[in-house]
Every structure is written in structure tokens, then in C-alpha cells.
Amino acid sequence: MPPLRTRAALLRIGEGLIGRYTSGPDGVLRFEGPRPGPGWHRHDWRSRRLTVRRDAGFAETVVARRRWLRYGTTQTQVDITPDEVGATRVVTLLMLLKTAAWLLAGVGLHTHDDPLDPKEKAGTRRTVQRWLHRLLPDATRLQGALRTAVIERSEPQPIEKLFPGGLSPPEVIRCRRWKDPDATYRLATALAFLVHGAAALSTSVTVLLAEAQKGLDGPLGTPKR
């Protein structure tokens, strides 16, 4: 498969947000997940400012997450949106695309080109290196969810027809020394499904990741409760 930079002209990002939001006051996006369980009541909202990458460029957006209160206690719980990855400000899609620009380039961290963020407005190369390690625990489920999303989108034609030459990360990834080489290769494969799959299916990476998110069983980079 060609490196990401050769696909940049074909890549459609879309809205950059994969969560299902409603519109609140002043255009703030609101996210509310399912009720945590019996005895939990809607309490208020907790807002976060996030950095988004869209077709038009970078943007800052505020999302308000529902906060729940357990009746008769002071225990609260805040919903986490699919666009959040731990405490980082960048949204899930942007983190994945910047990591893909490195892993799918087939060259080193400090020599790869990032066609979507050439001036490193949202994360230096060292930051991207940290993001890689943050994403590794989710590599297996991310690969499975994205592969399933591509297969479902490509039906009824076999997935092999989308990628006649096969779909694999650059072989150089196998040759490098990683702390967890298997997880790194699975993550790179997941990112190949996201980037090359969206291009082959003529859809945006936002749409493809949103469809894959249904099979992820929770946000990335967040321990399950």
C-alpha cells in the first residue's frame, strides 16, 4: 500500500467528530450517553475544549458532557464522548490520523511528512510518539472494528476487490525495534484500514471511524468502568 502522503489528495476527513451530539446554547455541542444505572439522575453538564481537524482545517470546539448524580449521595459520573482520548485535547480522529501519517509513511518519526498537519499545529512528533503508546492497548479492538466497518461498507463485493494488491502497513514496521512490536503492527494495520479503506470506499474517515466506533465497546484510551 502507498504511504499516506500519496493518498492525501484523495483523503476526505469530513466533520472530524464521530460522537452523536445535540446542539445546546451558543452552539455548544452536547453529549449524553445512556443512564449509568438505577438511581442515577441527570445533574448538569461538564464542558471540554477539543481540537478538531476537518476538511476546512483545524478548529477548536466545546463539547458539554452529561454529568449524572446518584440519588441520595454525592457520587457523580461524567459521560465520556467517543471523540475524547483520555486527557488529551485532540479528538480521536486527529490523533489517529497523525499517528497514521507516521506509521504508514514507512520512514522514521523525525523524517516522515504529515500532509494533514505539516506545521505540527496539533502535536509535535514527540507528542505523536506518546500517542502511539497511548493507543497500543486498543490496537486489537481498533483493528477488528475498522476491518468490520470496511467489510460491511464494501458488501456485496469481497474486500479483496477494494485492495487488489493487499492491505498491509509498510514492511519496515516489522523491522524496527518497538516495545510491543505485535501491537504496533496491529495498530498500523488498523490505521491502514481507516485511511486506505476510506479512500477506496469514497467516503470520509469521519464516517468510517464513526461506523467502526459502534464495535469498539467504549472510547479509546479510557479504562473500562
Side-chain angles (χ1 to χ4, degrees), residues 3-99:
L4 175 61
R5 62 177 176 273
T6 63
R7 289 274 189 173
L10 301 176
L11 196 64
R12 290 165 50 199
I13 299 176
E15 286 301 308
L17 292 170
I18 61 175
R20 294 185 177 181
Y21 300 95
T22 57
S23 182
D26 300 323
V28 173
L29 300 177
R30 286 184 167 181
F31 177 84
E32 181 176 311
R35 189 181 302 274
W40 290 89
H41 301 271
R42 293 181 179 88
H43 188 49
D44 57 12
W45 302 91
R46 283 293 179 267
S47 297
R48 279 194 69 183
R49 183 175 294 275
L50 298 172
T51 302
V52 183
R53 179 65 163 85
R54 301 187 170 109
D55 284 321
F58 289 95
E60 296 290 318
T61 190
V62 176
V63 296
R65 298 85 45 78
R66 168 62 71 189
R67 188 168 72 142
W68 303 85
L69 174 67
R70 194 164 195 170
Y71 181 75
T73 73
T74 58
Q75 183 182 358
T76 61
Q77 181 173 305
V78 178
D79 286 334
I80 304 299
T81 77
D83 290 295
E84 297 175 75
V85 188
T88 59
R89 282 190 58 181
V90 304
V91 296
T92 303
L93 181 64
L94 178 53
M95 181 180 291
L96 293 178
L97 288 178
K98 286 187 68 69
T99 307

Side-chain angles (χ1 to χ4, degrees), residues 134-158:
R134 178 182 289 273
L135 292 168
L136 285 182
D138 297 311
T140 299
R141 67 188 185 107
L142 184 61
Q143 178 187 355
L146 281 164
R147 183 178 185 277
T148 298
V150 171
I151 290 174
E152 290 179 348
R153 272 238 158 198
S154 65
E155 289 179 343
Q157 68 172 330

Side-chain angles (χ1 to χ4, degrees), residues 133 136 176-182 184:
H133 295 292
L136 285 182
R176 293 213 178 104
R177 294 182 179 179
W178 308 96
K179 288 185 177 179
D180 191 337
D182 291 337
T184 302

Side-chain angles (χ1 to χ4, degrees), residues 155-178:
E155 289 179 343
Q157 68 172 330
I159 192 173
E160 290 78 14
K161 286 194 174 181
L162 279 181
F163 313 108
L167 180 65
S168 300
E171 189 58 33
V172 68
I173 292 178
R174 291 285 196 190
C175 304
R176 293 213 178 104
R177 294 182 179 179
W178 308 96

